[in-house]
């Protein structure tokens, strides 16, 4: 089916300069939806990112980008103030996509492996844990509340966030992110219940292993990729474009009865042995 959205409907994407967020921005713009991207990148990487953003603009949709800290109240207020000014009249946010990939990848305890310099090995502390859980978990609630309180959601809006198999599988150095994903899923379930009276649907997408910049930061990512390739019935990894296509589907009217769900977009990777 051909997906087409009204230009007056916007996607607000948190973490949209790479990976799933960027792919979703590109897909939704190609379907006619206007896009606002919140990202946090250094000046040295902006040339490449701006080329990606220019490709979005060529779809002749509304486009805004904000290089701010999405986990800071000041950043959130700046973005929403600009959106309030831009989204006058009939324009509203159809999709809030939480795709923030910032977390501490440190072990909880000293490694027992021989040959490891334990003195210089950094461990996950309370501040690391709290920061990761907020960035990748509870910030979903902060952003949702702010958008809702300011009346920026469309009548049939969608809230989507991204989790991973790490929500229940232990990987060394992934404890903080794993905790954040579990929190994210819990927050999403509660939002799906509390926002339903306003017609807002809230769901979580669990993507298969995808070779993104964020994945490559995880210790042992090569082994994760090899395992996913062996398990996936299609013999390949999930791509960001696979997930972006599903995100677009979830924004259609036909997906209105999906709420409070964890939706796996992995080609069957999870059922593979």
């Amino acid at each position: 089916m051909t997906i087409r959205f009204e230009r007056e409907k916007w996607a607000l994407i948190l973490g949209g300069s790479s990976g799933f967020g960027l792919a979703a921005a590109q897909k939704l713009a190609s379907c006619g939806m206007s896009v606002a991207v919140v990202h946090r990148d250094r000046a040295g990487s902006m040339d490449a990112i701006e080329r990606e953003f220019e490709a979005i603009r060529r779809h002749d949709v509304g486009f805004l980008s904000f290089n701010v800290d999405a986990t800071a109240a000041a950043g959130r207020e700046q973005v929403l103030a600009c959106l309030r000014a831009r989204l006058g009249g009939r324009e509203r946010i159809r999709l809030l996509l939480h795709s923030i990939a910032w977390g501490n990848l440190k072990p909880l305890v000293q490694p027992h492996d021989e040959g490891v310099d334990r003195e210089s090995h950094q461990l996950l502390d309370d501040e690391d844990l709290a920061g990761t859980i907020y960035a990748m978990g509870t910030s979903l609630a902060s952003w949702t509340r702010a958008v809702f309180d300011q009346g920026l959601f469309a009548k049939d809006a969608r809230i989507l966030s991204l989790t991973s198999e790490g929500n229940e599988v232990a990987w060394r150095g992934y404890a903080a992110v794993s905790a954040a994903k579990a929190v994210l899923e819990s927050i999403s379930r509660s939002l799906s219940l509390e926002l339903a009276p306003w017609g807002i649907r809230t769901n979580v997408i669990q993507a298969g292993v995808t070779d993104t910049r964020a994945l490559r930061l995880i210790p042992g990512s090569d082994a994760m990729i090899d395992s996913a390739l062996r398990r996936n019935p299609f013999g390949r990894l999930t791509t960001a474009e696979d997930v972006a296509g599903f995100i677009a589907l979830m924004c259609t009217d036909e997906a209105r009865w999906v709420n409070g769900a964890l939706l796996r977009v992995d080609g069957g990777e999870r059922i593979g042995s």
Side-chain angles (χ1 to χ4, degrees):
M1 87 187 201
T2 300
I3 300 175
R4 202 71 201 157
F5 300 110
E6 298 175 357
R7 194 177 186 273
E8 290 77 17
K9 296 296 187 290
W10 282 74
L12 173 56
I13 299 176
L14 311 178
S17 61
S18 64
F20 298 121
L22 178 61
Q26 293 169 332
K27 177 64 176 180
L28 292 166
S30 74
C31 296
M33 189 179 290
S34 295
V35 176
V37 170
V38 183
H39 63 106
R40 191 181 187 188
D41 291 285
R42 295 175 180 173
S45 60
M46 284 308 300
D47 284 346
I49 292 169
E50 281 297 336
R51 286 193 292 272
E52 299 287 1
F53 288 169
E54 186 55 38
I56 295 173
R57 293 185 184 96
R58 286 198 290 270
H59 290 293
D60 193 30
V61 296
F63 179 76
L64 295 169
S65 65
F66 304 89
N67 192 356
V68 299
D69 183 359
T71 67
R76 184 170 63 250
E77 290 166 6
Q78 177 184 337
V79 170
L80 294 183
C82 184
L83 282 172
R84 269 200 319 274
R86 177 67 181 265
L87 273 61
R90 6 188 342 246
E91 296 186 73
R92 287 291 183 273
I93 294 172
R94 171 73 161 192
L95 169 68
L96 172 61
L97 175 63
H98 187 286
S99 184
I100 296 174
W102 179 92
N104 282 282
L105 298 167
K106 302 174 185 176
L108 289 166
V109 298
Q110 294 284 8
H112 190 63
D113 308 5
E114 292 184 8
V116 173
D117 181 3
R118 299 185 185 181
E119 292 298 324
S120 63
H121 212 82
Q122 290 188 316
L123 299 181
L124 190 70
D125 62 25
D126 291 346
E127 185 177 348
D128 295 331
L129 190 59
T132 302
I133 288 174
Y134 180 74
M136 301 185 73
T138 53
S139 65
L140 172 65
S142 300
W143 274 93
T144 299
R145 252 195 324 265
V147 174
F148 179 80
D149 288 346
Q150 296 188 34
L152 295 176
F153 276 124
K155 291 182 180 178
D156 189 17
R158 313 298 159 90
I159 300 170
L160 296 173
S161 54
L162 290 154
T163 189
S164 72
E165 192 177 24
N167 58 1
E168 58 183 6
V169 175
W171 297 318
R172 183 169 187 81
Y174 202 73
V177 178
S178 182
K181 294 300 186 184
V183 168
L184 179 76
E185 293 169 25
S186 179
I187 292 290
S188 180
R189 285 193 299 271
S190 294
L191 289 172
S192 70
L193 175 69
E194 296 188 26
L195 292 175
W198 285 271
I200 300 171
R201 282 74 169 162
T202 309
N203 296 285
V204 181
I205 295 172
Q206 181 172 320
V209 173
T210 309
D211 195 358
T212 61
R213 186 173 66 190
L215 176 76
R216 290 294 180 174
L217 295 175
I218 300 173
S221 58
D222 287 339
M224 293 167 60
I225 289 172
D226 290 342
S227 173
L229 287 171
R230 288 194 303 271
R231 289 186 292 149
N232 199 299
F234 290 100
R236 69 167 177 85
L237 297 179
T238 301
T239 67
E241 289 70 28
D242 292 328
V243 178
F246 184 74
I247 288 170
L249 281 173
M250 289 297 293
C251 293
T252 63
D253 291 341
E254 289 79 2
R256 68 173 66 88
W257 206 234
V258 184
N259 186 44
L262 189 153
L263 304 157
R264 293 188 176 91
V265 183
D266 63 1
E269 177 184 306
R270 184 176 172 81
I271 65 172
S273 59

